[in-house]
Amino acid sequence: MNSEIIGLTDWLKTPPGAYLLDWERAHFDQAVSDVFGYHALQLGLPELDALQANRMPHKWLALGSAPSSSPAEAATEATAAPAASSRRAALLTDSDALPFPEASLDLVVLPHTLELSRDPHATLREVSRVLVPEGRVVISGLNPTSLWGLRQRRGHLYQRWGYDSLFLPKTGEFIGYWRLRDWLRLLDFEVESGRFGCYRPALTSQAWLDRFEWMDAAGERWWPIFGAVYFLAAVKRVRGVRLLEPAWKTRKAPAAAPAVVANKEPATRMRPPA
């Protein structure tokens, strides 16, 4: 018989979930530490403080309702999940209808947000709307083309016969890395960096995960696009917009030096003969 399918919050407490969170935490810290501005938003996954290393004065955590949740269940998840992770959500909102004015945020991070969104493409359009020109978006997602993704597909197949359970939580649609890059390009985003991680097999035991630690270095070198999770950062480009530099960066034009003009007239004139 199938074991009960756990949600994402409970799955992140398992050994493979903690392994994934540790990898993502390090890369989010690295990606957002040098992004400057005033307003930053994390949309989803309160178990991970993706804005911890960022120094913006205003940072918010927003939680959205799961695609199959009722409004009452969504409100319960929004209040219970931050308590488990000692983080407080600033607002509850749908990811495809953010309550922010146009061009008002400098940074938006989406840790597995698109997989849980009822319309991931609409979520990206909404992120593009609220970001300022040259604003950044940082995204992480589960890679369907990986050992974890293959086991998840096998689990879906075996569930029809009643023999197996899912390895990963039953979320929405997994979005491929290259497909996501195409979506971002259509929305005038330019991908600045992207990479994969978590190359260990789909195992639930901490002891066995530790035994395959060597696969992280080997996978990054020999099969880099088959990591269980991908991570990318992109910048919003707006055509015809020119950023103004600070006044102290403006160079002063050099003052024109006085030029010496030679006197073409002779100093003394010769008197004509008498």
Side-chain angles (χ1 to χ4, degrees):
M1 294 179 64
N2 292 347
S3 61
E4 183 180 357
I5 300 174
I6 62 176
L8 180 61
T9 298
D10 293 330
W11 182 85
L12 291 173
K13 299 175 184 178
T14 64
Y19 164 54
L20 180 142
L21 274 183
D22 289 341
W23 187 90
E24 290 192 348
R25 184 177 295 109
H27 286 79
F28 269 109
D29 288 347
Q30 182 180 3
V32 305
S33 60
D34 293 332
V35 180
F36 300 99
Y38 297 96
H39 305 97
L41 174 70
Q42 175 180 339
L43 189 56
L45 201 65
E47 293 79 12
L48 173 64
D49 189 356
L51 297 173
Q52 178 182 1
N54 187 264
R55 291 168 284 180
M56 293 188 191
H58 307 290
K59 298 183 290 187
W60 301 289
L61 168 65
L63 299 183
S65 58
S68 59
S69 299
S70 65
E73 292 173 344
T76 302
E77 293 175 2
T79 56
S85 58
S86 70
R87 297 196 62 204
R88 179 183 294 274
L91 64 151
L92 178 65
T93 178
D94 289 331
S95 59
D96 54 359
L98 299 178
F100 293 96
E102 184 176 352
S104 59
L105 301 179
D106 302 284
L107 171 64
V108 177
V109 294
L110 305 175
H112 301 280
T113 308
L114 299 178
E115 299 158 6
L116 298 172
S117 173
R118 58 188 176 187
D119 190 343
H121 199 274
T123 298
L124 282 179
R125 287 199 303 267
E126 189 69 358
V127 170
S128 176
R129 181 187 68 83
V130 300
L131 277 176
V132 300
E134 304 299 316
R136 261 71 177 178
V137 59
V138 184
I139 306 171
S140 66
L142 292 169
N143 182 17
T145 313
S146 65
L147 295 177
W148 292 21
L150 291 175
R151 177 166 176 177
Q152 186 77 350
R153 286 200 295 271
R154 187 193 69 178
H156 281 293
L157 178 62
Y158 284 5
Q159 272 192 336
R160 299 177 183 177
W161 304 334
Y163 291 120
D164 202 0
S165 61
L166 300 179
F167 172 70
L168 297 171
K170 189 177 181 180
T171 60
E173 178 188 4
F174 289 175
I175 302 171
Y177 175 78
W178 301 107
R179 182 185 180 190
L180 179 57
R181 289 182 66 112
D182 290 339
W183 287 1
L184 291 170
R185 185 171 63 251
L186 291 174
L187 294 172
D188 293 327
F189 281 98
E190 179 182 337
V191 177
E192 292 186 317
S193 62
R195 64 174 305 171
F196 295 81
C198 298
Y199 296 93
R200 304 181 199 183
L203 302 169
T204 57
S205 168
Q206 184 63 54
W208 280 102
L209 283 173
D210 293 339
R211 291 183 183 182
F212 285 94
E213 183 179 1
W214 59 272
M215 290 189 65
D216 285 332
E220 190 169 354
R221 180 177 181 181
W222 297 109
W223 53 90
I225 64 172
F226 297 115
V229 61
Y230 60 79
F231 184 92
L232 59 84
V235 59
K236 176 184 175 182
R237 302 296 188 192
V238 178
R239 298 177 183 177
V241 174
R242 179 180 178 183
L243 294 181
L244 299 178
E245 295 184 349
W248 57 268
K249 286 188 176 182
T250 305
R251 296 183 178 180
K252 295 182 179 180
V260 178
V261 180
N263 187 4
K264 297 182 180 180
E265 296 294 332
T268 59
R269 294 185 179 181
M270 295 181 61
R271 298 178 64 183

